[in-house]
Amino acid sequence: MPVTATSTADGSTRRPPPPAGSTSATGPFGLSRELFYATCATLVAFLILTLILAATRPPQSDEGHFANAGAAIASRGRFVMPMWTPWISTLDQRVYSNMPLYFLSLGAWFKAFGVSWMTFRTLSALFGVVMVVSLLSILRSVSRERGAFVAGLVLLGLNYDLINLSSARYDVMTAALSAAGIASYLLMRERSLERALLVANTFLAAACLTHPYALFGMLGLATFVLMLDLRALRFRHVALSAAPYVVALLAWGAYIARDPDMFREQFAENASGRLQGRLGPLGMIGAEIKERYLGRFAGWRPGAPLMMRVKVLLLVAYLAGIVGCLSMRSLRGNPRVRALVTFTVLSLALLMVADAHRWYVYLIYVLPPLALCLALVTNEIGKPGGWRRWVANAGLVAYGLFGVASVAYRARLDVHHRAFLPALAYLKSHVQDDDLVIAGGEFGLGLDFEKHVLDDPWIGYHNRRAPDYVVLSTDGRSKLDAYVAADSGFQRYVDSLTTTLKPVFASEAGNVRYEVLGRPDSGSAAPAIR
């Protein structure tokens, strides 16, 4: 909380000494010189770890389609995803299934730095840095205590999941813009509420043009505003807050107006199945805990490394952060802390309702406020000194080491270079001008996108496209097996196809395998690479 200046007898002003445990504003950005250097070092470490993971993790099919759109914008000025037409047939004409801002940014990025996996993923990594800076700013606005900020450096900057989720895709851009919006409001509100709301909602309007889950950032801003400044709000504040969204909607609406029917079809298809179905409240909570948090986050699922299951302790720690903020008198008496905890709990509930798929990737919208709550509680635990401080510091050290070790483990597996790139290299050396490769969208980045690649999990069954090559990743094989089990006609189609397409190449690393099927005359069979 900013310190209020007081008047002296001679008419000058002075500020009272900072509270015990708070940081002294002697360095840049209001941080002590030591904390400023520690922050810079943490951000550099976060960026390096993210880039290491970006260079070694296996690519996702979605990433290939996003790169397809960015490359098309950079080279042709068209927002299209032709490789994905088996999903939505009109994606080779216009894209309405996704919000446009990330793809426009990616197109400009590709135009400036070229089209490659590392340029693609570096953009996400940089947004990850913006996200961490914004979250640290939020933490400092909530608590000026040095111990809380140091804990935040570890819990945010060395957070394996935030590092992982910042190494690809567009979700981190939405999370970064959302966090920047909340941070700017908290930073500026006491000087000018009007300016704070205008800047904050401008960031959030940009987030809305990136992904609909900007709703999490809007929820966070609304929570802080209503709990901190409700009595100060006037009509002009509401008007200023709405203005950025009006501009964003007008821009998006102008694009939608080119083909409203296509917009409705594509957007509805992408949104289908995302909301929770008929599960009751207890069923929803149980499924969320079991599938998203225990299964996808903590690794209690088949095929996940055993060491990953230690992350169940992180779930316990995050829960302790919420409980501690609610139960510790020194924290719950702070209205900013109460707003943060309210935002955290509402975000957890919103994710449970809004994402029936329970995907890991969307944890990027709830892990940051959980980490902020845990940072506040960690500081309170260590305040009395003695063994409590040792416990708090040991927990932070273990947390940081786990994040670094997890990145090191993934880098050592290096699925990108040991499994994916060999399969891609085989295809590049054998695919002819008119050959069709049915594979995940990730193979488009090396095979000139739609010139050769079609991402069709039904491998030509519905569209009657006869492939020259089929690439089955571990995930692709699982989908294929599920489709075969559900459709006897597809089973016969696969049996017929495998009489003409034979295994010609395979590569694997860790638990990821790529198998290439091709015609016997397309090249001699190659041994599996491990």
Side-chain angles (χ1 to χ4, degrees):
M1 180 184 298
V3 179
T4 304
T6 58
S7 298
T8 61
D10 60 1
S12 61
T13 60
R14 62 182 175 85
R15 292 178 180 271
S22 65
T23 59
S24 57
T26 59
F29 306 108
L31 297 172
S32 67
R33 197 170 301 277
E34 295 82 3
L35 281 188
F36 175 73
Y37 291 144
T39 301
C40 291
T42 301
L43 294 176
V44 170
F46 179 89
L47 181 59
I48 290 173
L49 291 171
T50 304
L51 291 176
I52 289 173
L53 204 53
T56 55
R57 64 176 293 172
Q60 300 171 329
S61 178
D62 283 5
E63 294 179 76
H65 298 296
F66 299 165
N68 188 190
I73 291 172
S75 62
R76 292 175 275 165
R78 296 188 62 209
F79 184 18
V80 291
M81 294 182 185
M83 291 191 303
W84 225 350
T85 51
W87 174 41
I88 299 176
S89 61
T90 54
L91 286 175
D92 60 346
Q93 301 173 43
R94 289 191 181 93
V95 175
Y96 289 117
S97 58
N98 299 80
M99 307 302 284
L101 187 58
Y102 168 78
F103 300 98
L104 295 175
S105 304
L106 182 60
W109 186 259
F110 277 166
K111 199 169 186 66
F113 300 104
V115 180
S116 72
W117 275 112
M118 279 312 295
T119 54
F120 173 77
R121 287 175 164 179
T122 297
L123 180 62
S124 296
L126 293 175
F127 274 113
V129 174
V130 173
M131 177 183 66
V132 173
V133 170
S134 300
L135 292 170
L136 289 171
S137 177
I138 293 172
L139 179 60
R140 186 158 171 79
S141 295
V142 171
S143 171
R144 303 286 290 186
E145 297 200 12
R146 179 188 183 93
F149 193 83
V150 171
L153 289 177
V154 176
L155 297 175
L156 296 170
L158 299 179
N159 187 313
Y160 166 72
D161 295 287
L162 295 186
I163 291 168
N164 188 25
L165 293 169
S166 299
S167 62
R169 288 178 55 97
Y170 55 11
D171 308 277
V172 64
M173 179 176 175
T174 311
L177 291 171
S178 297
I182 298 172
S184 60
Y185 160 74
L186 291 172
L187 190 65
M188 303 167 65
R189 56 179 286 270
E190 293 189 357
R191 295 181 181 178
S192 171
L193 186 57
E194 291 89 346
R195 186 180 305 167
L197 290 171
L198 179 61
V199 173
N201 284 288
T202 298
F203 277 117
L204 284 166
C208 288
L209 288 177
T210 307
H211 195 284
Y213 280 176
L215 182 61
F216 287 89
M218 297 170 68
L219 176 66
L221 179 62
T223 301
F224 277 102
V225 170
L226 292 177
M227 295 186 71
L228 300 181
D229 289 311
L230 178 60
R231 294 182 179 180
L233 290 180
R234 300 293 183 269
F235 177 77
R236 67 180 183 276
H237 298 124
V238 177
L240 281 171
S241 298
Y245 301 102
V246 172
V247 174
L249 285 174
L250 286 174
W252 181 224
Y255 181 62
I256 292 172
R258 297 181 180 183
D259 199 326
D261 292 335
M262 188 184 295
F263 164 76
R264 283 191 290 270
E265 174 195 353
Q266 289 193 15
F267 210 81
E269 177 62 29
N270 196 14
S272 64
R274 289 184 181 267
L275 295 178
Q276 287 287 354
R278 300 179 179 179
L279 289 176
L282 293 179
M284 289 169 57
I285 294 172
E288 183 80 352
I289 293 173
K290 179 181 178 181
E291 295 179 27
R292 193 195 309 273
Y293 293 101
L294 292 178
R296 292 186 169 90
F297 176 83
W300 290 78
R301 65 180 190 273
L306 287 177
M307 65 168 287
M308 189 176 176
R309 296 187 178 185
V310 74
K311 290 177 69 178
V312 73
L313 298 177
L314 300 185
L315 293 177
V316 174
Y318 287 139
L319 178 60
I322 295 177
V323 173
C325 285
L326 292 173
S327 61
M328 293 179 172
R329 183 178 302 176
S330 56
L331 291 177
R332 70 170 183 263
N334 183 338
R336 293 174 177 80
V337 174
R338 294 198 299 269
L340 174 62
V341 176
T342 302
F343 167 43
T344 304
V345 174
L346 290 176
S347 295
L348 291 168
L350 177 60
L351 183 61
M352 178 176 64
V353 173
D355 178 33
H357 300 302
R358 303 183 185 91
W359 286 333
Y360 166 80
V361 69
Y362 293 138
L363 285 171
I364 198 169
Y365 301 109
V366 298
L367 291 179
L370 285 170
L372 294 180
C373 290
L374 182 56
L376 296 172
V377 170
T378 301
N379 175 57
E380 291 298 314
I381 291 173
K383 264 187 180 180
W387 67 269
R388 292 186 179 183
R389 180 169 296 174
W390 281 101
V391 170
N393 290 341
L396 289 175
V397 170
Y399 189 100
L401 289 176
F402 175 79
V404 174
S406 298
V407 173
Y409 172 78
R410 294 281 299 275
R412 184 172 178 273
L413 286 178
D414 196 4
V415 176
H416 188 81
H417 290 90
R418 294 175 56 205
F420 172 72
L421 288 184
L424 178 60
Y426 177 85
L427 289 168
K428 289 175 71 173
S429 65
H430 289 81
V431 169
Q432 304 298 314
D433 288 343
D434 297 325
D435 284 351
L436 173 65
V437 180
I438 291 184
E442 65 268 31
F443 284 89
L445 197 57
L447 295 175
D448 203 9
F449 297 111
E450 68 270 18
K451 181 178 179 181
H452 293 294
V453 178
L454 191 67
D455 187 354
D456 179 11
W458 292 89
I459 55 176
Y461 178 56
H462 292 298
N463 56 27
R464 300 304 176 186
R465 297 287 302 274
D468 297 284
Y469 293 90
V470 172
V471 183
L472 295 176
S473 64
T474 303
D475 289 340
R477 172 65 74 177
S478 298
K479 290 181 181 179
L480 185 67
D481 292 342
Y483 293 158
V484 164
D487 188 331
S488 59
F490 184 56
Q491 170 72 75
R492 291 191 294 271
Y493 171 79
V494 171
D495 291 341
S496 174
L497 188 64
T498 53
T499 63
T500 57
L501 299 183
K502 302 293 184 183
V504 294
F505 185 84
S507 57
E508 61 182 293
N511 61 352
V512 178
R513 175 181 172 85
Y514 297 94
E515 183 179 6
V516 181
L517 308 180
R519 301 185 186 280
D521 58 354
S522 63
S524 58
I529 294 179
R530 296 178 180 268

